């Protein structure tokens, strides 16, 4: 149980392209999903908290107009990297927390490796 | 805000030996401490977690201990196997404040056959 699916797993695109990443909870409902960014050999850095039916909460230093988050249902959150540039290249990972409450564990997807040429 | 320090950054053990990874946290209000295993190119996988009302938890070869007074917690892996090789992350959160995870820097564990 507690499976989180992330799609696509890999994206290679030209500078200036916008890229959408999907995060789905397959066997549970998630009021809250989280988006992280991870550079090689580094830890996970929280970018934003995605709440179903409301606006996302962004961490300090993360541009909300650059990283658009939509959480339209209890099983799907999307992250759109708008007008991506080479410095946006990274490993983006989502996690989801069961609707039962804030004391539930976060379960992670397998990440999306974004490469901007 | 919360800060989590994790040590060591790399750990190499022989198959069958034990491995211990330690983390300290700064916010005494943190009440949930999960450990994740991340294999190359994949997302983190929850392997064990502990809440602040418990001092120790065990699941087969994996155990976690928590010392709230000293604000540190540790992961213990016994009888290590080559498939235990991965990067391990500790994290801390306060689910009374939204449950955001603050991660440690990670430990790259290598188990040599």
């Amino acid at each position: 149980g507690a499976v989180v699916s992330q799609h696509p797993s890999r994206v290679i695109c030209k500078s200036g392209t916008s890229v959408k990443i999907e995060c789905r909870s397959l066997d549970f409902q998630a009021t809250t999903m989280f988006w992280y960014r991870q550079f090689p050999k580094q830890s996970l850095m929280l970018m934003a908290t995605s709440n179903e039916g409301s606006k996302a909460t962004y961490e300090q230093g993360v541009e909300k107009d650059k990283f658009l988050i939509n959480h339209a249902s209890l099983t799907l959150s999307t992250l759109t990297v708008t007008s991506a540039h080479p410095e946006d290249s990274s490993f983006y990972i989502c996690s989801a927390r069961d609707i039962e409450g804030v004391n539930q564990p976060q379960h992670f997807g397998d990440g999306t490796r974004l490469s901007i040429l | 805000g919360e800060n989590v320090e994790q040590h060591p950054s790399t750990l190499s053990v022989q198959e069958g030996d034990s491995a211990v990874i330690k983390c300290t946290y700064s916010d005494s209000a943190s009440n949930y401490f999960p450990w994740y295993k991340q294999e190359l190119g994949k997302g983190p996988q929850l392997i064990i977690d502990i809440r602040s009302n418990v001092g120790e938890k065990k699941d087969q070869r994996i155990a976690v201990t928590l010392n709230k007074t000293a604000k540190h917690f540790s992961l213990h892996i016994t009888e290590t196997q080559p498939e235990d090789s991965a990067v391990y992350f500790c994290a801390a959160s306060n689910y009374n404040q939204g449950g955001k995870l603050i991660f440690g820097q990670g430990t790259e564990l290598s188990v040599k056959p």
Side-chain angles (χ1 to χ4, degrees):
Chain A
V3 178
V4 176
S5 174
Q6 197 171 331
H7 180 80
S9 58
R10 175 115 198 204
V11 179
I12 303 173
C13 58
K14 294 181 179 179
S15 185
T17 306
S18 291
V19 178
K20 180 186 280 189
I21 303 169
E22 293 187 347
C23 180
R24 294 181 184 273
S25 55
L26 297 187
D27 52 359
F28 65 100
Q29 292 183 318
T31 310
T32 305
M33 292 184 177
F34 300 86
W35 288 95
Y36 295 82
R37 186 171 179 174
Q38 186 179 34
F39 290 107
K41 294 194 177 294
Q42 292 191 23
S43 190
L44 287 82
M45 296 300 297
L46 180 64
M47 298 174 65
T49 302
S50 168
N51 297 294
E52 187 267 338
S54 64
K55 290 184 179 181
T57 304
Y58 290 81
E59 295 301 300
Q60 192 172 5
V62 177
E63 300 175 57
K64 62 179 181 180
D65 295 329
K66 173 77 172 177
F67 300 99
L68 300 179
I69 292 172
N70 183 274
H71 192 158
S73 79
L74 289 173
T75 58
L76 173 64
S77 176
T78 61
L79 169 69
T80 300
V81 184
T82 61
S83 187
H85 292 286
E87 58 267 28
D88 298 321
S89 299
S90 190
F91 193 49
Y92 292 87
I93 315 173
C94 71
S95 72
R97 187 171 65 203
D98 195 291
I99 196 173
E100 287 195 7
V102 294
N103 60 346
Q104 296 298 304
Q106 288 185 32
H107 299 280
F108 285 80
D110 268 343
T112 296
R113 185 156 307 281
L114 177 61
S115 300
I116 308 298
L117 306 177
Chain B
E2 176 65 280
N3 183 55
V4 178
E5 297 287 334
Q6 182 173 345
H7 298 282
S9 57
T10 60
L11 180 59
S12 181
V13 300
Q14 288 294 133
E15 182 177 1
D17 287 350
S18 295
V20 180
I21 303 171
K22 298 182 179 182
C23 289
T24 59
Y25 61 100
S26 61
D27 187 352
S28 57
S30 290
N31 50 26
Y32 175 64
F33 307 92
W35 285 89
Y36 288 89
K37 174 185 180 181
Q38 187 178 27
E39 296 178 338
L40 194 62
K42 295 195 171 184
Q45 176 189 6
L46 179 68
I47 56 172
I48 197 166
D49 57 8
I50 192 167
R51 301 183 190 277
S52 59
N53 59 345
V54 176
E56 185 174 355
K57 183 177 179 181
K58 189 173 181 180
D59 183 3
Q60 299 183 333
R61 297 188 296 112
I62 296 173
V64 57
T65 58
L66 171 65
N67 183 327
K68 286 192 296 182
T69 303
K71 289 189 283 187
H72 66 70
F73 57 112
S74 301
L75 177 71
H76 304 253
I77 306 175
T78 59
E79 300 173 28
T80 54
Q81 301 166 4
E83 50 265 38
D84 294 329
S85 297
V87 179
Y88 291 80
F89 290 97
C90 65
S93 76
N94 180 351
Y95 49 69
N96 295 315
Q97 293 183 1
K100 289 195 303 185
L101 292 176
I102 306 300
F103 283 88
Q105 296 85 350
T107 296
E108 185 172 1
L109 174 65
S110 175
V111 180
K112 299 186 184 305

